[in-house]
Each structure stands twice: as C-alpha cells, then as structure tokens.
Amino acid sequence: GESVGLHLPTLSVQEGDNSIINCAYSNSASDYFIWYKQESGKGPQFIIDIRSNMDKRQGQRVTVLLNKTVKHLSLQIAATQPGDSAVYFCAEGSPGYSTLTFGKGTMLLVSP
Amino acid sequence: SQTIHQWPATLVQPVGSPLSLECTVEGTSNPNLYWYRQAAGRGLQLLFYSVGIGQISSEVPQNLSASRPQDRQFILSSKKLLLSDSGFYLCAWSARLAGVSGANVLTFGAGSRLTVL
C-alpha cells in the first residue's frame, strides 16, 4: 500500500506531559499494527506493535491502545521528553499481504 | 543480530542521469525486502517489495525499477532521473515467520537522500 501525502499534523507538548498520538485505519481485516518513530534525516524506528487479539500493550513509557470497533489506534507516551520529538507513524498489516500500509504521520514537538 | 545497510547516504544527480541505490541485509536468510520513498514532510510511499530472489512487486508505476540479484541484496535503479525522483529513499526488511501469513515488523535502513537537479 501507499501512504497518502498530506502535510503532517503537529502535536506540541511540554516536557513531562503525557502525549497521545492518534491514528485511524480503514481496513477492518487488518490484524497487525505498529508504531514507528522517525527522527529528522533518519529511518523509522520500531516503537511497539500490537495484534488484533489484544486491545492494549505496554512498553517502556509507551502504551498502544487498539479499538477495533471504530478502527482507531493510539500511542501514549508518558512523561514526554525532548528526545521524543520526532514524526510518529502508525502502520497496519493484513493476513496474506507482505506489506504494511503507513499512516500520514504526526509530528511531536516537545518543549523543555 | 540482523543489520541493514543502505548506500549511498546522500546523492546529488543531474536530470537524465542513472541511479543505483543498494541495500543489503546481514544476519538473516530469505527476508522480505522493501523500497519506500518519502517526500519532504510527508509519509512513506511503498515503491517495490520482494519476497525472494528475482521476485519484484511494483506498487507505483514510475521511472524506477528494482532488482534482487541475491537473497539479501536489493537494488533500486533508474536509467534517467527526473526532478520528481528527488526524495528520501528507505530500504527495509522483514522476516517471514512460520504460521504468520501477513506482514511482520519492518526494520528500516538509515535512508538515502537523493537530490535531482
């Protein structure tokens, strides 16, 4: 699949706040979801993933929530730090397809 | 552990010149391989993916082509670059897991920034 190109929405937060980045997906058959973090000039880095048989998964300072009813995915970052400033992408995968479909991305800006 | 290498990191080419970007993966066998392009401030567009040597799927018809001459090598090429080919090109790989029919986590390379003048 391809990502539709639109200028990135931006979320601005203060250091120490909790951040919530949202993503809507369209394919009800998608059963695998990933969040990536991309710093300027670098490749995307894996943050956390979740399969459709779960609705919540926690990592270090991050939590992913999946609501299959409304096809919504969110990434929560606790105690946001300046180093969290980056573009965050969600991606979805479906059974039988070897590719992921990426969302548009959200830029997170963290002020000290 | 697995690593992915992508080069060159930066490239400035004139319109009409050829292009070759190379990507290799170490530490795994029979990976799925992908080429994405990212325009400035935008999302990721899948260009090509490959599930095996010589097997290339094209997602977007355009001025580019891809080849997989070896199991862990993926090459993105063009015979004549256009201005619109400028962008940030990302190679990625994923493992094929037994019992998993869909995509698995993709690991990306550091990217190659192409400027066509």
Side-chain angles (χ1 to χ4, degrees), chain A residues 53-71:
Chain A
N53 59 353
M54 301 173 69
D55 52 21
K56 180 179 180 179
R57 193 170 185 211
Q58 289 183 290
Q60 187 178 12
R61 280 201 307 119
V62 295
T63 300
V64 56
L65 297 177
L66 175 62
N67 186 329
K68 295 181 287 293
T69 303
V70 295
K71 296 199 283 287

Side-chain angles (χ1 to χ4, degrees), chain B residues 26-93:
Chain B
E26 296 177 357
T28 188
S29 296
N30 204 23
N32 290 337
L33 296 172
Y34 308 82
W35 277 111
Y36 284 85
R37 177 169 61 197
Q38 187 174 34
R42 300 199 173 214
L44 295 161
Q45 180 187 39
L46 178 64
L47 301 176
F48 302 95
Y49 71 95
S50 171
V51 298
I53 296 174
Q55 299 178 59
I56 310 294
S57 296
S58 174
E59 292 293 302
V60 183
Q62 56 196 333
N63 188 39
L64 302 170
S65 63
S67 61
R68 184 171 178 172
Q70 300 181 49
D71 180 46
R72 290 168 289 175
Q73 184 185 27
F74 206 23
I75 298 172
L76 183 69
S77 304
S78 174
K79 292 182 179 177
K80 289 185 178 182
L81 284 168
L82 305 172
L83 287 173
S84 57
D85 292 323
S86 293
F88 192 48
Y89 289 83
L90 290 156
C91 181
W93 76 274

Side-chain angles (χ1 to χ4, degrees), chain A residues 8-22 77 79-82 84-88 105-112:
Chain A
L8 298 174
T10 301
L11 174 65
S12 297
V13 301
Q14 293 284 112
E15 182 178 2
D17 288 351
N18 296 333
S19 302
I20 300 176
I21 301 172
N22 296 304
I77 304 173
T80 315
Q81 303 168 0
D84 295 326
S85 293
V87 177
Y88 290 81
T106 297
M107 180 172 289
L108 176 65
L109 296 175
V110 183
S111 305

